[in-house]
């Protein structure tokens, strides 16, 4: 029920156009790519407060739905450069995925397309393009599972096949 309310207020009946969150990632790029080490939350309140350590798969999962803001830190932890947001699927791309995938692409899942996120099959941190040929719709539950278990997929013009 919470998911339905969140999505309806965020999208207003259209493909979501805004990000779900902004994540300040302070993690070495190589650690993020290699899924080792940890990321650190900066300047956030709530459950994940300032200084909370996050595992690389958690950072990667959150980053799928967030505006990723690369932060370059100095030797004393000071912010030297704050990058721009980038890499989200456009509303037009999401509508294409809605039509192609018809909902969550995990076999047996019946989540409708408007409850799903556009997922980079080859993760953006590993050079994956923000293109429908590198995208699959996943419901929130399966999006988490795909990241936790490292599932891969093959994307064709007619759909997605998952390799578990």
């Amino acid at each position: 029920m919470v998911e339905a309310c969140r999505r309806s207020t965020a999208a207003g009946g259209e493909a979501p156009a805004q990000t779900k969150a902004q994540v300040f990632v302070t993690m070495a790029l190589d650690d993020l790519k290699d899924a080792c080490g940890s990321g650190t939350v900066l300047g956030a309140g709530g459950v994940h407060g300032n200084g909370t350590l996050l595992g690389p798969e958690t950072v990667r999962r959150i980053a799928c739905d967030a505006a990723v803001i690369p932060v370059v830190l100095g030797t004393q932890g000071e912010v030297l450069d704050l990058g721009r947001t980038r890499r989200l699927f456009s509303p037009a791309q999401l509508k294409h995925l809605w039509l192609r995938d018809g909902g969550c692409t995990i076999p047996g899942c019946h989540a409708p397309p408007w409850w799903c996120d556009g997922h980079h099959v080859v993760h953006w941190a590993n050079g994956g393009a923000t293109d429908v040929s590198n995208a699959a719709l996943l419901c929130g539950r399966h999006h988490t599972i795909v990241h936790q278990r490292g599932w891969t997929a093959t994307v064709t013009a007619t759909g997605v096949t998952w390799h578990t």
Side-chain angles (χ1 to χ4, degrees), residues 6-41:
R6 184 183 67 77
R7 290 205 175 267
S8 68
T9 58
E14 296 292 325
Q18 74 268 8
T19 59
K20 294 179 185 176
Q22 287 190 350
V23 178
F24 290 87
V25 177
T26 59
M27 180 175 198
L29 181 58
D30 288 340
D31 287 349
L32 187 61
K33 286 180 181 178
D34 297 338
C36 65
S38 64
T40 304
V41 176

Side-chain angles (χ1 to χ4, degrees), residues 44-152:
V47 175
H48 296 299
N50 196 28
T52 300
L53 296 179
L54 300 175
E57 288 309 316
T58 300
V59 172
R60 291 166 70 103
R61 181 180 47 80
I62 292 169
C64 274
D65 301 331
V68 176
I69 303 171
V71 179
V72 178
L73 302 177
T75 57
Q76 303 299 311
E78 71 276 16
V79 176
L80 300 178
D81 182 53
L82 185 63
R84 295 181 311 227
T85 60
R86 63 191 191 294
R87 173 225 47 77
L88 297 177
F89 291 103
S90 71
Q93 288 172 314
L94 289 172
K95 287 178 183 178
H96 175 93
L97 295 176
W98 286 13
L99 292 171
R100 185 193 72 195
D101 296 347
C104 183
T105 55
I106 298 295
C109 184
H110 302 290
W114 48 89
W115 286 10
C116 296
D117 303 315
H119 168 76
H120 287 80
V121 172
V122 176
H123 201 283
W124 65 270
N126 296 335
T130 303
D131 187 277
V132 294
S133 65
N134 185 43
L137 286 181
L138 291 172
C139 68
R141 176 174 170 263
H142 286 118
H143 203 168
T144 298
I145 289 170
V146 163
H147 280 280
Q148 288 175 339
R149 298 185 184 165
W151 291 355
T152 60

